[in-house]
Structures are given as structure tokens and as C-alpha cells.
Amino acid sequence: MAHRDEIIAYCDERLRSSAFQDVAVNGLQVSGRLQINRLALAVSASRQTLTDAASWRADGLMVHHGLLWGGKIGPITGVFADRLRLLFENEMNLIAYHLPLDGHPEIGNCARLCIASGFMPAGRFATAGSEPLGIVGEWPQGYQLDALLGTLADITDREPVVVGNVDGERQIERAGFLTGSGYGALQEAAQAGCQALVTGDIRESTMAEARELGISVIAAGHEATERLGVQALAAELAGRFGIATNFIDDPNPV
């Protein structure tokens, strides 16, 4: 069992949360019990993940996508009120880390996806304010685009979508990893010498832009590409604080 504030202080320091300019509230979002013995984790806070956490008798839920975004707080009605009610009724803490959990060079979503895909981190790209989020991965031997798609399908449990240069036999030796909605950094990835950009989702204009840049853009799922960071953080917390952790899987086709 550990004190909630000690866990949050560790995460704040480990993820350097104060360094990021973020629209999300990072750290404690909703206060619950002070002592944490069981910490559930998920990509996003929703009725489903909150209910599953409560069924597991969690003292807190730690997520990548929390409930507090920007400066808007009220009115507290509808879905927002229902989610808060679940937290209050079960005395659960809600803890969230958004950009800090994307950009960490070791346990961040981008870094973990890069390494899981077989690449070695070799650089950074795509800054938010002054902090880089994306990871440039290298594999000197390279492997074919079709093989990379197969690897990502195994990691994410879904078939990725590829646009732009879709030649399945092309060699990918350098790839940019920017999880979630990373399509906006397409030109930065190309400028970094990447033959592919691995991200979560794309927009309609991404296909033409990628084709004109000669780069492959792989959309492997927003939620699906952002599981590994929170799982890596959970493993650290379990070892450091001696608490039980449980990742709640709530697959999203987007």
C-alpha cells in the first residue's frame, strides 16, 4: 500500500509533467482514497473502464486520456456527471498523464511502440512547445513495409491502414513513431529522413500529402498505439511501491 500523493509525485517527476504545454490536466484529476493498494490503468477514462476498475475494487484509475481538458469545467451533466458519480461513489482517484506519457524517451507511448516494432530509438521529432513527442527509430538492416504492417498488427490486435507510398516491398530503415493523432507531423518525419510515419489515426488529406512526400503513413489505431506507455508506467509503479496493478483493455476501432 502506498500514499496516493507519493505515487503522483513520483509520476510527475518521472514523466516531467510540468515541462509540457498540454490541454489536459496532468496528475490528479479527481480525488479519492489517500491510500492506494490496487491501481487500475487504462488508455481512456470512460464508463466502461471506470466500472471495470470499480469491479476490481481499485483505489484509483490511471489513464492517458482523462476527463479534464482545457479550461472548461461545467456544467456537470450527462455523461460527464455519470463518470464523476462512479468515481465518487467508489472513492476512486482519477489520475491522468497525456503528453508527458507520449513523449517520455523510455516509457512513453512513442518510445515503447518504436522498440516493440523492432527499431532502436535514434532521435526525436514533433515538438509540443519545447518538448519533443515523437521518436525516430532506426533498423539498419531494414524490413519490408508489409513485414512492418504485420508486426504492428500483432502489437495492436488490429489491421493497420497504410497510405502514401504503399509499396509493400519497400525497405523501411528509418521510421517516425508518433502515437495517437500524429498525422500533423508528417512533414517533420519526412524531414527527419523517415521512410514511414507510424501513428494512430489520420485525416482525409493525409493520403495525398504522404503520397507527394513519398512516405508511408501507417495508422495503427489511436487507442491501440497508446497502450504500451501506461502499461510500462504500471510495471514501474508496481515494482517501486509494491501495489497491485491491472490494465483494463477497452479496444477502440478508431
Side-chain angles (χ1 to χ4, degrees):
M1 184 175 291
H3 196 284
R4 176 198 67 199
D5 295 345
E6 291 181 359
I7 293 174
I8 293 172
Y10 174 80
C11 292
D12 284 343
E13 181 177 357
R14 180 75 166 109
L15 300 175
R16 299 178 57 252
S17 60
S18 63
F20 290 83
Q21 297 177 12
D22 203 338
V23 295
V25 174
N26 289 300
L28 183 65
Q29 289 198 348
V30 179
S31 178
R33 290 186 284 273
L34 289 178
Q35 297 297 322
I36 291 181
N37 185 49
R38 297 163 73 88
L39 181 64
L41 300 106
V43 174
S44 301
S46 66
R47 185 184 185 91
Q48 181 67 50
T49 55
L50 289 166
T51 299
D52 288 351
S55 297
W56 187 63
R57 303 189 310 279
D59 303 301
L61 176 65
M62 180 176 286
V63 296
H64 181 50
H65 303 133
L67 298 181
L68 301 182
W69 302 86
K72 180 173 169 48
I73 297 177
I76 301 175
T77 59
V79 169
F80 186 37
D82 290 342
R83 292 171 176 178
L84 290 176
R85 191 174 295 112
L86 275 168
L87 286 163
F88 291 136
E89 287 176 350
N90 291 281
E91 295 184 81
M92 279 195 304
N93 297 282
L94 178 63
I95 305 164
Y97 290 97
H98 184 230
L99 294 185
L101 194 53
D102 284 323
H104 195 276
E106 297 171 359
I107 60 171
N109 288 318
C110 302
R112 299 316 302 173
L113 185 60
C114 172
I115 293 168
S117 300
F119 289 82
M120 293 299 295
R124 307 300 303 271
F125 74 108
T127 58
S130 61
E131 293 298 318
L133 297 178
I135 296 284
V136 175
E138 289 185 344
W139 189 353
Q141 295 80 15
Y143 64 116
Q144 292 183 337
L145 175 61
D146 280 348
L148 175 56
L149 295 176
T151 296
L152 289 167
D154 290 340
I155 294 169
T156 61
D157 296 318
R158 53 171 286 156
E159 291 299 320
V161 174
V162 59
V163 299
N165 191 328
V166 297
D167 179 2
E169 295 184 356
R170 73 183 306 228
Q171 290 291 109
I172 306 296
E173 300 171 356
R174 191 172 173 91
F177 292 82
L178 186 57
T179 58
S181 294
Y183 55 79
L186 175 52
Q187 291 198 33
E188 291 184 59
Q191 289 167 359
C194 298
Q195 291 109 12
L197 170 65
V198 180
T199 187
D201 54 49
I202 57 176
R203 57 187 172 189
E204 188 275 339
S205 60
T206 304
M207 182 186 72
E209 185 180 5
R211 188 168 54 201
E212 290 159 26
L213 289 169
I215 191 172
S216 304
V217 177
I218 303 168
H222 192 128
E223 176 272 335
T225 59
E226 296 191 322
R227 299 171 189 161
L228 298 180
V230 73
Q231 290 172 334
L233 180 58
E236 278 200 10
L237 296 176
R240 184 176 183 86
F241 293 99
I243 60 176
T245 61
N246 179 28
F247 178 74
I248 297 173
D249 195 13
D250 187 21
N252 189 328
V254 175

